[in-house]
């Protein structure tokens, strides 16, 4: 089927279907899009799909949602990109909102507590699997291994902020290639894409910026003007706006930064709640970065005292979640609509490719730190000020559930949804049998 033959109504139905099936994190979501759009519908060729994916991997933010936006834009322009991107997020957004309400109302019930206990064990296995998968692809040289190791030490030992690590890795990769000391990346020649984006121009860029920047920042500025700079809403808007600019490497990489700030700096959530949020995001459709919606909900809900009997508390939580999702995803549309022509013109740039490959290597170290952080807080009851667990405080039930999840995923090769479901049931059974 030619692109011109794809009706907007049919495309809309297809994007909704993809949104409802988008389980399993970026890898699973990209696989679903490929199967439906390339193999089943044949709306886009393999070559064009991979070209779009490569571009989205260079951007901050959720690459799978950006890929949907990009392909929707190819098919039907701006309205196609908006429709594809929004429908990719909408099912997960509604699911996380409903589960957030249920969480604050009933999470202390033994059955619900057990379900989350099992999910936490599965999350550790999932993050380890992501670490191995990304590491195998990214760490193809000794230099890349060094970058990953240094990134891990910088986060786990030196406690340096995530954006500084990303910038440092990118600068190292750029300088290394720019001065002829080698490159972290090997550029591969590709043929021209099927549909080229508009020619870059200052006028086009200014028009897009004049539209999307106010859309992005208006809610944040309104909160600051009405509620003050110190309000939880203003802090959520500012922090997650900043996150959307530095979130290279996908959700797993940026979650270390989000967890560090949301737990340790702002105290919006506890380590256990952060893990619960990740479990919710893993078990629902949509981008994994929707875990920030759960953080925004709890931050705003608890700012009013966290009283679940007050409808005002639930409304406050919903508004916090909506604001967080808004400032997280609006920039993704801006990056696609604004940046595609410029990124197309930079294809073949060796220093740029080396910088991006170095960032990818650093992401492996970031994910290793994330895996360590999650495992420490799930498996041990006490952690010292340096983040080291007290070995005597090992918790038997989480350790057993984590071991089962590791066996299911790494030995029996079970899929994500099946592992999560079984882990949740086992966790509930463990709690109810106490």
């Amino acid at each position: 089927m030619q692109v011109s033959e794809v009706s907007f109504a049919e495309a809309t139905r297809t994007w909704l279907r993809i949104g409802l099936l988008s389980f399993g994190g970026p890898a699973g979501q990209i696989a679903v899009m490929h199967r439906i759009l390339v193999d089943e519908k044949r709306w886009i060729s393999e070559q064009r799909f991979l070209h779009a994916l490569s571009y989205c991997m260079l951007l901050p933010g959720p690459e799978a949602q950006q890929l949907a936006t990009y392909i929707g834009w190819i098919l039907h322009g701006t309205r196609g990109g908006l429709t594809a991107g929004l429908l990719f997020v909408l099912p997960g957004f509604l699911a996380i909102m409903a589960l957030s309400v249920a969480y604050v109302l009933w999470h202390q019930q033994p059955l619900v507590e057990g379900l989350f206990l099992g999910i936490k064990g599965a999350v550790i296995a999932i993050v380890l699997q992501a670490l191995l998968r990304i590491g195998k692809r990214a760490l193809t040289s000794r230099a890349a291994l060094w970058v990953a190791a240094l990134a891990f030490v910088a986060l786990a030992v030196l406690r340096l902020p995530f954006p500084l690590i990303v910038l440092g890795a990118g600068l190292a990769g750029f300088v290394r290639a720019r001065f002829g000391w080698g490159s972290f990346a090997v550029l591969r020649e590709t043929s021209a894409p099927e549909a080229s984006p508009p020619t870059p121009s200052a006028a086009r860029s200014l028009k897009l910026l004049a539209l999307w920047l106010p859309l992005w920042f208006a809610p944040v500025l309104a909160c600051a003007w009405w509620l003050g700079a110190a309000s939880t809403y203003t802090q959520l808007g500012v922090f997650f706006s900043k996150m959307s600019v530095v979130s290279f490497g996908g959700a797993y990489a940026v979650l270390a930064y989000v967890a560090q700030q949301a737990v340790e700096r702002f105290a919006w959530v506890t380590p256990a709640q952060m893990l619960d949020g990740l479990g919710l995001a893993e078990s629902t459709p949509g981008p994994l970065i929707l875990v920030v919606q759960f953080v925004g909900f709890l931050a705003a809900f608890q700012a009013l005292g966290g009283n679940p009997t007050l409808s005002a508390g639930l409304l406050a939580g919903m508004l916090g979640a909506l604001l967080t999702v808004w400032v997280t995803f609006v920039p993704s549309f801006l990056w696609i609509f604004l940046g595609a022509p410029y990124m197309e013109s930079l294809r073949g740039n060796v220093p740029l490719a080396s910088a991006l490959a170095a960032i990818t290597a650093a992401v492996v170290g970031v994910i290793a730190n994330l895996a360590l952080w999650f495992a420490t807080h799930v498996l041990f009851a006490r952690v010292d000020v340096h983040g080291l667990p007290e070995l005597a405080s090992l918790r038997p039930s989480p350790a057993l559930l984590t071991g089962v999840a590791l066996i299911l995923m790494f030995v029996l090769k079970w899929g994500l949804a099946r592992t999560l479901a079984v882990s949740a049931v086992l966790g509930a059974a463990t709690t109810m049998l106490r």
Side-chain angles (χ1 to χ4, degrees):
M1 178 180 293
Q2 299 298 318
V3 169
S4 59
E5 298 176 358
V6 181
S7 72
F8 183 72
E10 183 181 2
T12 300
R13 290 191 296 271
T14 300
W15 288 119
L16 179 58
R17 175 187 170 198
I18 290 172
L20 292 169
L21 294 175
S22 59
F23 290 89
Q29 294 155 2
I30 291 167
V32 168
M33 273 189 276
H34 183 276
R35 177 170 57 83
I36 293 177
L37 300 175
V38 178
D39 296 334
E40 179 184 323
K41 299 289 186 180
R42 298 191 177 184
W43 287 350
I44 189 169
S45 71
E46 178 83 21
Q47 175 188 333
R48 189 60 177 139
F49 183 91
L50 293 177
H51 169 71
L53 176 60
S54 298
Y55 167 57
C56 294
M57 292 294 290
L58 307 180
L59 300 173
E63 63 268 28
Q65 186 263 350
Q66 290 168 341
L67 177 62
T69 304
Y70 192 108
I71 297 176
W73 174 64
I74 290 174
L75 296 176
H76 296 104
T78 300
R79 68 168 182 163
L82 287 171
T83 300
L86 289 172
L87 290 179
F88 189 83
V89 174
L90 185 61
F93 170 80
L94 295 176
I96 294 291
M97 188 71 81
L99 289 171
S100 297
V101 172
Y103 181 87
V104 299
L105 292 174
W106 300 304
H107 76 281
Q108 293 182 337
Q109 296 295 323
L111 178 61
V112 177
E113 181 183 354
L115 290 171
F116 280 103
L117 183 65
I119 289 174
K120 289 174 186 176
V123 166
I124 294 176
I126 291 165
V127 174
L128 286 174
Q129 187 182 64
L131 173 63
L132 295 175
R133 183 181 297 154
I134 296 174
K136 183 178 180 181
R137 184 175 68 243
L139 305 183
T140 56
S141 67
R142 183 173 297 179
L145 284 169
W146 272 107
V147 169
L150 289 173
F152 176 80
V153 171
L155 275 173
V157 180
L158 303 179
R159 302 295 183 93
L160 295 180
F162 174 77
L164 182 62
I165 295 169
V166 168
L167 292 174
L171 180 61
F174 183 87
V175 170
R176 189 167 186 253
R178 180 67 178 81
F179 291 95
W181 300 333
S183 174
F184 285 94
V186 178
L187 293 176
R188 296 177 173 84
E189 292 294 330
T190 58
S191 57
E194 296 169 357
S196 299
T199 302
S201 69
R204 177 182 180 275
S205 298
L206 288 174
K207 289 179 181 178
L208 286 170
L209 289 171
L211 172 64
W212 285 97
L213 288 180
L215 283 174
W216 180 358
F217 292 114
V220 184
L221 295 174
C223 290
W225 175 75
W226 189 21
L227 302 173
S231 76
T232 299
Y233 290 103
T234 304
Q235 290 179 342
L236 285 170
V238 171
F239 172 72
F240 285 108
S241 291
K242 181 170 64 173
M243 182 210 71
S244 67
V245 177
V246 301
S247 55
F248 292 93
Y252 282 117
V254 78
L255 280 179
Y257 173 50
V258 172
Q260 179 192 52
Q261 298 293 306
V263 174
E264 299 175 9
R265 178 184 174 189
F266 294 104
W268 288 330
V269 293
T270 65
Q273 289 172 334
M274 188 72 198
L275 286 166
D276 291 339
L278 182 58
L280 289 179
E282 288 279 14
S283 57
T284 53
L288 183 59
I289 199 64
L290 279 174
V291 65
V292 304
Q293 177 185 347
F294 180 77
V295 173
F297 184 98
L298 286 188
F301 176 80
Q302 292 170 163
L304 291 185
N307 187 348
T309 64
L310 296 176
S311 59
L314 295 177
L315 178 61
M318 292 178 184
L319 291 176
L322 182 60
L323 174 63
T324 301
V325 169
W326 181 271
V327 298
T328 298
F329 286 97
V330 166
S332 292
F333 291 102
L334 175 60
W335 307 149
I336 294 297
F337 297 143
L338 175 66
Y342 293 98
M343 290 304 299
E344 287 291 318
S345 67
L346 289 174
R347 293 179 69 194
N349 185 295
V350 175
L352 178 64
S354 180
L356 294 166
I359 289 173
T360 303
V363 162
V364 177
V366 173
I367 296 174
N369 177 69
L370 177 68
L372 177 63
W373 188 91
F374 281 151
T376 297
H377 286 87
V378 170
L379 300 179
F380 297 89
R382 293 186 298 276
V383 180
D384 64 22
V385 294
H386 303 292
L388 298 175
E390 296 183 18
L391 298 182
S393 68
L394 179 67
R395 303 166 64 196
S397 293
L400 178 62
L401 291 167
T402 300
V404 171
L406 289 169
I407 292 172
L408 295 179
M409 295 199 74
F410 287 91
V411 179
L412 300 182
K413 307 296 183 182
W414 281 21
L416 175 67
R418 193 178 178 190
T419 300
L420 281 167
V422 170
S423 296
V425 171
L426 291 176
T430 299
T431 304
M432 297 302 292
L433 291 175
R434 288 177 184 173

